[in-house]
Amino acid sequence: MTGRLARRAAGLAGTLLVVGTIVFLVFQVLPGDPAQIVLGTEATAEALAQLRAELGLDRPVAARYLHWLGGVARGDLGRSLSYRRPVVDLVRERLPVTIPLALLAMAVTTAGSILLGVTAAVRRGQGVDLAVLTLTQLGLAVPAFWLGMILIIVFSLLWPVLPAGGFPGWEAGAGRALSHLVLPAIALAAARVAVMSRLVRGSLLDVLTRDYVRTAWAKGLPERRVVYGHALRNAFIPPLTMLGLQLGALLAGSVVVEQVFSLPGVGRLLLHAISSRDLPLVQGTVLLVAVAIVTVNSAVDLLYIKLDPRIGPRP
Amino acid sequence: MNRNLTLGFSLVGLVLAATMVGALAVPRDPLAMDIGNRVQPPGAAHFFGTDQYGRDIFSRVLAAGLPSLAVALGAVAIGLGAGGLAGALSGLHRGLADELLMRAVDAMLTFPAILFALMVVAVRGPGNLNTALAIGLVNIPVFARLTRGSVLSLREEQYVEAARALGATNGHILLRHLLPGLATPLVIQASLSVSTAVLAEAALSYLGLGVQPPDPSWGRMIGEAQSFLGRGPWMAVFPGLAIAVTVLGFNLLGDGLRDRLDPHTR
């Protein structure tokens, strides 16, 4: 197990290095003088030269890359130009919004996809199945930010049961804070539910034809016991591997959804960075989110090996 | 024809027809302001109502089709062209370059599309061309991996070996013998990619980073409608429906084509 862990850790380190290199390269290779982008066309030559020196642009690319990589390895992602503070601190302050939002969206994805997937599989070929299939097609076609606004119109304006946006902070109480995350989490999760409920349906249909399920039916067990007690347990292993990967998509999707609901999370920080042309902040935020996603995916991978010994290599 | 294909074809046809109308003969000027008729609900004079400047939303939804679709199709063309070529060469030649390319592709695929596109737009600035480029770059690894996989399996076919034995060059083999076999998976993927590109363009434009004024765009119309959700919810509803119909159409078209053309999934 230790050897396997070490191999996985080395693989993860390699992927992180490549991801970091891509982030660095995008900011170097794409044409455009970063100093000019930050300061605009009106900037004086002295101001441009000063900013180039501050950003290290007066040094060769290779030197910049090594310097940047060294900083990243020490947890230093540079300083924001607009906030005049370290990027890492700015991101850390916004995690208490973005991480709970992603986790809540994950809970909605799990519950929603089991509910829809099982309902469709058990009533295969009937009206309910078709309805779920239609719903999943729509879930994939509707933009999350638009769904968010429709949810605001329905649940905050027409029938005011949930707040339309903003975030009071966790000091206002967990219940109040969570109520501000419910609509964003649903908007964020909709497309994931569409993907996952199809997987659950397909997997459950496969399991429902197995001999042991037929035996359970033959014993005269009620449908609830057969489906939830016997079939679903095995049917959920394949979708489970996919479920972990959704967390990355949810983290990335929060960039847009946070904007709809005015949530002060990492996504809005990134948008602020882009609109104020704060390139070090853009670079640092994108890198941190990408690293979080890659790390979560690797951790999920490792978890499955632990949960299901058949997935890993035989001892 | 299967149901997905029929429905997908019909929806895409409808969207293309509406886009054509939007480009050639909209009922009203989509940019004309009418301050006396601000935020009017849908009715006989304005089918989809008017926005905060009194502009006709029906005409704007039609007119926004062309920029949105042009960006999405341009992005898929970039992904298909660059990714397809890289994947085909990589699969034909193998070796170190192939190994490096696939490593880069794997790393790119771990990046969520929207994050990568935002990063590109941050560096290059907003605009139709940059939006297409940003979304196109995201598509390159998708097509590169698909093409490489297909080339790897096709190159083992006897007719390709025969061509090689006859002294055919790689370019000849690629164009004459591999391309027909590559076309099916690439067409299916292209259709599915158009729908993700439409969604990505809408998201970037919603954030104000995609299609720029004066071109109307479904995403930006929704963004502008956000401050008027209480007074004029229709301002957000109709552009969103246009996006949903377009994405649904291309998704169903891709699914339907796969069911029909790809023997593995039959």
Side-chain angles (χ1 to χ4, degrees):
Chain A
M1 189 69 193
T2 323
R4 216 150 77 197
L5 262 177
R7 249 198 328 276
R8 291 264 165 172
L12 173 63
T15 312
L16 288 179
L17 184 67
V18 178
V19 166
T21 308
I22 291 177
V23 172
F24 177 82
L25 282 179
V26 166
F27 284 84
Q28 312 298 325
V29 172
L30 288 176
D33 176 2
Q36 193 93 58
I37 292 172
V38 171
L39 295 176
T41 44
E42 308 276 294
T44 60
E46 294 85 63
L48 283 174
Q50 198 191 343
L51 185 63
R52 279 199 199 102
E54 190 181 330
L55 294 175
L57 294 174
D58 47 356
R59 283 174 296 163
V61 175
R64 265 188 345 246
Y65 176 61
L66 289 177
H67 181 256
W68 182 75
L69 215 55
V72 170
R74 290 192 308 274
D76 172 15
L77 292 173
R79 289 173 72 82
S80 151
L81 296 172
S82 55
Y83 288 95
R84 294 276 154 197
R85 290 182 54 206
V87 170
V88 176
D89 293 353
L90 291 168
V91 172
R92 193 187 296 133
E93 285 162 13
R94 282 153 182 84
L95 291 180
V97 177
T98 302
I99 290 182
L101 172 61
L103 291 178
L104 192 60
M106 190 73 165
V108 173
T109 305
T110 312
S113 56
I114 292 180
L115 190 71
L116 290 179
V118 170
T119 311
V122 172
R123 305 271 173 269
R124 183 188 191 177
Q126 300 176 22
V128 184
D129 188 17
L130 192 68
V132 170
L133 211 64
T134 312
L135 207 61
T136 57
Q137 280 288 4
L138 288 176
L140 286 174
V142 164
F145 60 91
W146 184 69
L147 181 62
M149 281 188 210
I150 300 296
L151 291 173
I152 292 176
I153 293 174
V154 176
F155 294 105
S156 303
L157 300 173
L158 294 179
W159 181 39
V161 284
L162 284 165
F167 191 70
W170 292 99
E171 2 6 299
R176 241 192 101 202
L178 273 177
S179 73
H180 283 256
L181 296 181
V182 172
L183 292 183
I186 295 174
L188 194 51
R192 304 296 111 206
V193 172
V195 173
M196 292 301 301
S197 55
R198 285 187 185 192
L199 281 175
V200 171
R201 176 183 178 273
S203 182
L204 187 57
L205 281 179
D206 187 43
V207 170
L208 283 175
T209 59
R210 302 263 175 88
D211 287 342
Y212 78 91
V213 175
R214 205 165 7 173
T215 309
W217 282 119
K219 283 199 302 188
L221 291 181
E223 183 183 274
R224 182 177 290 270
R225 283 281 301 279
V226 176
V227 173
Y228 289 93
H230 289 76
L232 191 62
R233 191 177 301 192
N234 281 319
F236 207 59
I237 291 178
L240 201 64
T241 46
M242 286 296 292
L243 194 61
L245 299 180
Q246 307 301 319
L247 196 58
L250 291 173
L251 272 175
S254 70
V255 176
V256 185
V257 169
E258 282 178 8
Q259 179 72 10
V260 178
F261 291 92
S262 309
L263 293 174
V266 178
R268 278 197 106 198
L269 179 70
L270 178 60
L271 291 174
H272 163 83
I274 292 173
S275 59
S276 60
R277 301 188 270 195
D278 187 344
L279 290 187
L281 187 55
V282 177
Q283 194 175 27
T285 313
V286 169
L287 182 73
L288 280 180
V289 175
V291 164
I293 290 169
V294 172
T295 313
V296 166
N297 289 351
S298 296
V300 167
D301 232 27
L302 216 60
L303 206 64
Y304 294 132
I305 299 181
K306 197 104 180 99
L307 285 180
D308 186 352
R310 287 172 305 175
I311 295 173
R314 290 183 193 287
Chain B
M1 271 228 257
N2 59 49
R3 197 173 52 197
N4 281 350
L5 198 56
T6 316
L7 198 57
F9 251 126
S10 316
L11 288 178
V12 169
L14 175 77
V15 170
L16 291 180
T19 302
M20 212 104 85
V21 171
L24 298 174
V26 275
R28 288 161 192 269
D29 180 354
L31 303 178
M33 300 189 195
D34 179 1
I35 301 301
N37 271 320
R38 278 184 299 190
V39 199
Q40 292 296 312
H46 301 279
F47 298 140
F48 291 176
T50 63
D51 69 4
Q52 74 274 30
Y53 300 114
R55 294 175 297 194
D56 181 46
I57 293 178
F58 181 65
S59 301
R60 286 179 67 74
V61 166
L62 290 182
L66 189 61
S68 295
L69 279 181
V71 167
L73 292 174
V76 173
I78 292 173
L80 178 64
L85 193 65
L89 293 177
S90 184
L92 269 179
H93 290 288
R94 313 288 297 272
L96 184 66
D98 175 46
E99 186 68 31
L100 285 177
L101 186 83
M102 282 306 120
R103 279 280 135 155
V105 161
D106 282 343
M108 289 263 296
L109 286 174
T110 62
F111 256 98
I114 184 75
L115 207 59
F116 194 85
L118 278 173
M119 189 163 65
V120 173
V121 171
V123 178
R124 304 226 2 142
N128 300 12
L129 209 61
N130 286 346
T131 309
L133 181 72
I135 304 169
L137 285 174
V138 173
N139 268 303
I140 289 178
V142 176
F143 283 100
R145 170 174 277 192
L146 177 68
T147 314
R148 176 179 176 271
S150 304
V151 166
L152 283 184
S153 71
L154 287 174
R155 57 180 278 163
E156 307 300 331
E157 296 283 338
Q158 277 194 341
Y159 64 88
V160 178
E161 273 182 47
R164 203 180 291 282
L166 286 169
T169 60
N170 271 337
H172 179 84
I173 289 177
L174 186 60
L175 288 179
R176 277 303 291 269
H177 302 289
L178 296 183
L179 199 57
L182 288 174
T184 302
L186 289 179
V187 165
I188 294 168
Q189 181 59 48
S191 180
L192 297 173
S193 286
V194 170
S195 55
T196 51
V198 168
L199 281 174
E201 182 278 320
L204 286 175
S205 297
Y206 162 73
L207 297 171
L209 300 167
V211 173
Q212 293 296 304
D215 280 346
S217 135
W218 294 325
R220 217 186 49 248
M221 288 171 75
I222 297 174
E224 288 172 359
Q226 194 166 356
S227 325
F228 298 89
L229 288 185
R231 272 176 67 202
W234 55 88
M235 285 170 57
V237 169
F238 292 110
L241 288 178
I243 298 174
V245 169
T246 309
V247 173
L248 187 63
F250 279 101
N251 269 341
L252 289 175
L253 187 63
D255 285 350
L257 283 173
R258 182 168 47 210
D259 293 344
R260 191 174 171 81
L261 299 175
D262 188 349
H264 301 299
T265 56
R266 251 182 219 160

